Amino acid sequence: MLLAALLLITSCDADHATPVMGNETGTFSLVLTPGEVQSEVITRAALNLDVEDFQITLAEANGTLLLDKRLLGELTEAECTLPAATGYQIKAESCTPEESITLNERWGMAHFVATTTFDIVSNQHTPVSLTCSMDNAGVQFVFEQSFLDKFPIHAVTTQDGRSLVFNKDTHDKIAYYPIEEDGETVRLKLTGSAGGWSDRIEIIQEMPINRGKIYIVSITYNEAKSREVALKVSEAH
């Protein structure tokens, strides 16, 4: 699905004079679009994205910082007016990499990010476009009724430095995991109990994840099929 959001920050109108590079100023505006996220059922609302809350970092070509994590919706006309120069570096992200793990009571959030460079020409306006890509992954567990009926006491625990527990109280949560390379795994442990010492299960599994995807893991129980407990990962597309 395409998460389409568009915001145009308009700076002051500029006369389109002959380009002159030097100490004079020009202006820029930013068009920001979150790109695709691959999932069967997750909506933009579920991701809790608002492009006006994206953080903007701006630096000169030599790395001198001009803006540090300034919210897109709060950029001013003065901040969009720069000395004429080449190689300005701009980054937009939905949150910091650290916040993508620690926000929302450590469930994290989708981390969308993009960078580009642009030039400012004196007395001219420069539109800058960024399409942000999701560079972490999300996982949600769905306990199907067949499993709930058999194992009313249940939980999935994942470990990545955090210990996140999915159960009847947190089944609607999405947990986000940083990814350095596609194919990294999340270690999960599924437990279930009917309330007594019998009919108890424990399954430990490594689940591969890729950046830009949100996985829905359905957990089912099949009494007729050798009392099978199955974890089915939705195909991300």
Side-chain angles (χ1 to χ4, degrees):
M1 86 175 50
L2 178 64
L3 302 182
L6 194 63
L7 185 66
L8 179 62
I9 302 296
T10 305
S11 58
C12 57
D13 292 331
D15 295 328
H16 296 282
T18 302
V20 178
M21 302 302 288
N23 293 326
E24 297 183 41
T25 61
T27 61
F28 78 95
S29 58
L30 184 60
V31 178
L32 177 60
T33 307
E36 295 182 355
V37 60
Q38 298 180 9
S39 176
E40 286 188 338
V41 296
I42 299 301
T43 66
R44 178 171 180 248
L47 292 179
N48 196 28
L49 283 179
D50 184 344
V51 290
E52 292 197 10
D53 292 332
F54 274 46
Q55 301 172 11
I56 307 302
T57 300
L58 177 67
E60 296 177 350
N62 63 7
T64 300
L65 201 61
L66 302 176
L67 297 174
D68 186 19
K69 300 180 181 62
R70 189 86 163 92
L71 295 186
L72 180 62
E74 296 179 358
L75 285 184
T76 65
E77 181 177 303
E79 290 169 329
C80 294
T81 302
L82 301 171
T86 59
Y88 282 101
Q89 306 167 56
I90 192 166
K91 178 170 76 172
E93 55 185 344
S94 55
C95 61
T96 67
E98 295 77 15
E99 289 171 336
S100 73
I101 301 171
T102 60
L103 287 176
N104 300 317
E105 299 179 329
R106 299 183 65 80
W107 292 91
M109 69 175 290
H111 182 230
F112 282 81
V113 63
T115 61
T116 193
T117 60
F118 65 97
D119 302 331
I120 290 292
V121 178
S122 63
N123 300 314
Q124 287 200 10
H125 177 76
T126 302
V128 180
S129 297
L130 280 174
T131 299
C132 297
S133 300
M134 181 177 166
D135 74 347
N136 58 354
V139 180
Q140 184 180 49
F141 292 90
V142 177
F143 299 95
E144 301 292 350
Q145 194 60 49
S146 60
F147 182 85
L148 295 176
D149 290 344
K150 181 64 178 179
F151 302 106
I153 302 172
H154 57 270
V156 172
T157 304
T158 65
Q159 299 279 351
D160 71 333
R162 302 168 291 175
S163 181
L164 301 177
V165 180
F166 298 82
N167 54 31
K168 61 183 179 61
D169 298 319
T170 59
H171 65 88
D172 59 341
K173 298 283 190 181
I174 301 174
Y176 292 92
Y177 301 91
I179 295 178
E180 294 185 5
E181 295 182 5
D182 282 348
E184 292 184 11
T185 60
V186 171
R187 182 178 177 82
L188 61 91
K189 181 172 74 172
L190 168 66
T191 59
S193 170
W197 288 106
S198 61
D199 288 330
R200 299 170 67 90
I201 60 164
E202 179 175 295
I203 298 173
I204 297 175
Q205 187 169 313
E206 299 283 341
M207 176 180 166
I209 55 176
N210 296 321
R211 58 171 53 89
K213 296 183 179 181
I214 297 179
Y215 298 89
I216 311 300
V217 184
S218 299
I219 302 174
T220 61
Y221 175 77
N222 191 329
E223 181 79 32
K225 193 176 180 181
S226 301
R227 309 175 91 186
E228 177 186 72
V229 175
L231 285 73
K232 179 184 177 183
V233 180
S234 66
E235 296 270 336
H237 56 222

